[in-house]
Amino acid sequence: MQIVQLLKSYSAGRRDFSGVDFREAWMPGLKLDLAVLRSADLTGSNLSHGVLHGADFSKAMMWRINLSYAQLKDASFIRSILIRCQLQGSDARRGNFDEADLRLANLRDVDFVGATFSGAQLCYADLSGANLEDIDFRAADLTGVNLSKANLKGCRFTKTQAKELNVVETTPLMEPEAKIAI
């Protein structure tokens, strides 16, 4: 499917574009609210500044995708491959990143309030300056993650994660999955 076809189909009311191949597509500023792009291949594509509220990218191949400054509220990235993606400055509030692979991702200054990361791979991701308020990271892999200047108020980490990340404890650690806030 060509980009022009996608836009015409979307304008005509179609929302399900599961499995499309848009590798290396150049689509900055694209508006596809509530689009279903499950299992789509968006490797190396540019969707920066896009408006993709409620879009479903479940199981999509999004390696090296540029979603910088995109509007991604309520979007689903369950089991998506987002290795080396660019998401800086995006609004990903209430996004679902469960079991997503975000290794080496640029997530600087992203608003993730209300997002979920159960089973997510965030190894060596850059979350500096991100708004991570009240996020539960206990079931995520945070190896080597950069949390400098991130809002970690109310975040939940395991004792091991807190120690490795050098997170300042402000609540007592009574159990293995204690709530730790900065």
Side-chain angles (χ1 to χ4, degrees):
M1 175 179 280
Q2 299 293 322
I3 296 169
V4 174
Q5 290 173 304
L6 175 131
L7 294 174
K8 284 181 182 178
S9 294
Y10 184 85
S11 293
R14 180 178 173 192
R15 295 296 178 264
D16 192 344
F17 301 97
S18 296
V20 296
D21 183 347
F22 282 126
R23 284 176 284 178
E24 307 292 331
W26 185 262
M27 303 180 282
L30 186 68
K31 294 179 182 167
L32 291 177
D33 285 336
L34 303 173
V36 178
L37 293 153
R38 287 185 205 119
S39 301
D41 189 347
L42 297 160
T43 301
S45 294
N46 183 342
L47 298 173
S48 63
H49 302 277
V51 180
L52 302 154
H53 299 289
D56 185 354
F57 294 102
S58 299
K59 298 182 182 178
M61 175 58 73
M62 303 173 82
W63 187 70
R64 290 183 12 250
I65 192 168
N66 183 352
L67 286 165
S68 301
Y69 306 101
Q71 298 299 311
L72 302 164
K73 283 187 275 189
D74 301 306
S76 177
F77 296 91
I78 297 170
R79 293 185 171 170
S80 292
I81 306 296
L82 291 148
I83 298 169
R84 292 190 181 275
C85 75
Q86 302 291 317
L87 230 70
Q88 72 268 11
S90 293
D91 182 352
R93 288 177 284 168
R94 298 178 307 276
N96 188 334
F97 294 88
D98 292 349
E99 298 183 42
D101 191 342
L102 291 146
R103 289 177 290 165
L104 301 163
N106 178 350
L107 309 172
R108 290 187 314 247
D109 302 315
V110 176
D111 188 350
F112 283 116
V113 170
T116 61
F117 290 92
S118 181
Q121 297 288 322
L122 289 154
C123 303
Y124 302 99
D126 184 355
L127 284 156
S128 58
N131 187 355
L132 305 169
E133 189 169 341
D134 293 323
I135 297 201
D136 186 346
F137 286 111
R138 294 176 292 187
D141 186 345
L142 301 175
T143 304
V145 73
N146 179 357
L147 294 172
S148 64
K149 297 184 182 178
N151 176 4
L152 300 176
K153 182 179 179 188
C155 283
R156 290 169 296 288
F157 302 96
T158 64
K159 283 184 181 182
T160 303
Q161 287 172 323
K163 184 178 178 184
E164 289 173 0
L165 296 169
N166 197 27
V167 176
V168 176
E169 301 170 30
T170 60
T171 57
L173 292 174
M174 302 261 191
E175 56 197 27
E177 285 104 28
K179 186 171 181 176
I180 300 171
I182 227 172

